[in-house]
Amino acid sequence: MGEGLFQPMHLLVIAVVALLVFGPKKLPELGKGLAEGIRGLKDGMKDTPVTPSSDAATKATTSKNPEA
């Protein structure tokens, strides 16, 4: 059918629709917020690697002593 889902014409149409819906003043704010969210997600994934054994130990400790 086509070469890909997001061809340049598709991206152009999406950009025009976004401009019409949100307006030229709101688009930079939305882009900045999206970029900060992605950056925060990346940093969070780098900082704390969760292992299944430590996660299970935490749950077992909290379930034994629910008052703490």
Side-chain angles (χ1 to χ4, degrees):
M1 212 179 236
E3 292 183 20
L5 181 63
F6 294 113
Q7 295 177 357
M9 191 62 186
H10 293 146
L11 295 175
L12 181 64
V13 170
I14 291 170
V16 169
V17 169
L19 184 63
L20 290 173
V21 170
F22 295 112
K25 291 183 180 180
K26 193 71 172 175
L27 277 180
E29 294 174 19
L30 291 172
K32 182 180 177 184
L34 182 65
E36 288 176 356
I38 291 172
R39 193 174 304 120
L41 179 66
K42 281 181 164 180
D43 290 343
M45 290 174 59
K46 287 180 185 176
D47 290 344
T48 56
V50 177
T51 58
S53 60
S54 66
D55 189 33
T58 305
K59 287 181 183 178
T61 303
T62 56
S63 65
K64 288 179 182 178
N65 190 3
E67 295 177 38

